[in-house]
Amino acid sequence: MAVHLTRVKSRLSIHAHRKVRGLLEGEYAALHAGRSMDFNDLREYVRGDDVKDIDWKASARSRALLVKRYAALRQHTIQLVVSTGRSMAALQSRDVPKRDLAVMTAGILGWLAVRHGDLVGVAWGDADEQHLLRPQRGELPLERGLQAIHDATATTSGASDLAALVEYVVRTVRRRTVLALVCDAWELDEAALAAVKRLAVQHEVLFVTVGGIDPTSEDLALDTLTDVETGRPLPQWIADDEELRRQYADMLVADATSLKRQLDGLGIVHAHVADEASVIKTVFDLLEHHRHARRR
């Protein structure tokens, strides 16, 4: 049963679906001419051209026989890469773990690619182990990949290790792809930065971060929450300390600014999933940004 894809589809209205697909399809125009529905330009007729491509009206105006050329549409490979370390099993809000947002983000991108007829591969992992499902066509392989991501993300999983996961992808995914990396890293350490830099040389990288719950929020009942790394409950005084709340907010801004600077330096577009309601908008913004970046 396609549980995860069903949730993805239910979150996308027809209008949103068309808009996102349009953004994705903008990435698929080939540089060479070929048969498709997208008109490219006109050129003079040469022996061997298909007579059906002759533009008789334009030919009459220019007094030269002209044929229409179209932008060929290519099948692409989309590679989804999701960090499944135990930090991704932490909560994003009281009832929603970060894992669910990561699966939803990957699911939206993967499903749109499947609808376009592209191949979709899925990779996931933590510090202890990494896995890869080779690119395939269709919804069923994508659903298997999303289920694998969901099942691998637990408080008992290995520590999150973006560098290890990216290095694994660099070694195993050799053919150039559009690669969407979903993680909860707020800053790239030296090892992760070097690995992501190698990844960006090989592929077109989309970088998505998933936010976590704010432990300084006054609305939380901290006695019911535990730290996924230590297993210990969070102390109540965290939510009662106004100065700590301010420092935490400043830290988030500083980390986000630092990560953006690092990714901008590599020419990688980045989007941040702040909460469950913003997942679709985040994907919209990511694809729009990527499309404009490629045109520059």
Side-chain angles (χ1 to χ4, degrees), residues 197-210:
K197 186 180 296 186
R198 285 191 289 274
L199 196 68
V201 172
Q202 271 183 270
H203 308 286
E204 292 184 50
V205 180
L206 310 177
F207 199 104
V208 184
T209 50
V210 178

Side-chain angles (χ1 to χ4, degrees), residues 150-163:
H150 181 276
D151 293 346
T153 311
T155 55
T156 55
S157 301
S160 296
D161 191 334
L162 186 62

Side-chain angles (χ1 to χ4, degrees), residues 209-281:
T209 50
V210 178
I213 199 167
D214 181 357
T216 67
S217 173
E218 296 178 287
D219 299 329
L220 294 178
L222 293 179
D223 56 337
T224 64
L225 300 179
T226 58
D227 187 322
V228 294
E229 297 294 341
T230 65
R232 298 175 180 173
L234 297 179
Q236 183 63 47
W237 60 264
I238 291 179
D240 299 328
D241 192 321
E242 186 67 32
E243 177 61 20
L244 181 63
R245 187 178 301 118
R246 184 189 63 78
Q247 291 179 5
Y248 181 78
D250 290 344
M251 181 192 71
L252 292 183
V253 172
D255 287 348
T257 301
S258 175
L259 179 62
K260 184 179 186 304
R261 186 184 303 113
Q262 290 176 317
L263 296 176
D264 285 349
L266 299 177
I268 296 175
V269 296
H270 165 240
H272 178 69
V273 178
D275 51 47
E276 188 175 24
S278 69
V279 175
I280 294 176
K281 183 181 184 302

